[in-house]
Amino acid sequence: EVQLVESGGGSVQAGGSLRLSCVASGYITRSTCMGWFRQAQGREREGLATVYSGGSSTVYAESVKGRFTVSRDNSKNTLYLQLNSLKPEDSAMYYCAASESCATLGWFLNHPREPKYWGQGTQVTVSS
């Protein structure tokens, strides 16, 4: 069992930045797949960035590559997502998710209904 709690969302103007945090607890191993996903109203959930709990590899969605950065602080059991150069179309509920394992990080990113554990989400609103 893994518990995830996100924070850090808010309202910003276009071009602004936010840093989202996800504190994880429970049974987390080096092979635990973790990631950030988002869902805007009326749209499908999409993967943004994925990472192994114990590794350095990351995979990003093309829509956020170069603007968003995922990082981990394992001493704090925390996953971060730095959001830069925000656009109004980035407005959505942002979720942290995890599974005990995944086929690949790319698969985890592209199958946003598959993660087993989800946080409650944190809202990001970007105004023009």
Side-chain angles (χ1 to χ4, degrees), residues 2 5 10 18 29 34-35 50 56-57 66 73 90-91 94 97 115 117 128:
V2 175
V5 179
L18 286 172
T29 69
M34 302 188 72
T50 55
S56 59
S57 297
D73 184 340
D90 292 318
S91 297
Y94 283 66
Y117 305 106
S128 58

Side-chain angles (χ1 to χ4, degrees), residues 56-115:
S56 59
S57 297
T58 56
V59 175
Y60 290 94
E62 286 297 321
S63 60
V64 303
K65 194 176 292 186
R67 298 191 300 125
F68 293 4
T69 303
V70 64
S71 61
R72 294 175 294 111
D73 184 340
N74 286 347
S75 69
K76 298 180 179 179
N77 291 327
T78 302
L79 185 72
Y80 300 100
L81 186 68
Q82 179 68 40
L83 288 64
N84 295 329
S85 302
L86 282 162
K87 306 173 182 179
E89 53 264 42
D90 292 318
S91 297
M93 186 71 79
Y94 283 66
Y95 297 93
C96 176
S99 289
E100 286 93 346
S101 65
C102 57
T104 65
L105 291 178
W107 182 90
F108 197 61
L109 181 82
N110 293 316
H111 291 80
R113 295 186 181 278
E114 292 300 321

Side-chain angles (χ1 to χ4, degrees), residues 21-32:
S21 300
C22 171
V23 178
S25 60
Y27 186 67
I28 299 170
T29 69
R30 290 180 57 84
S31 62
T32 298

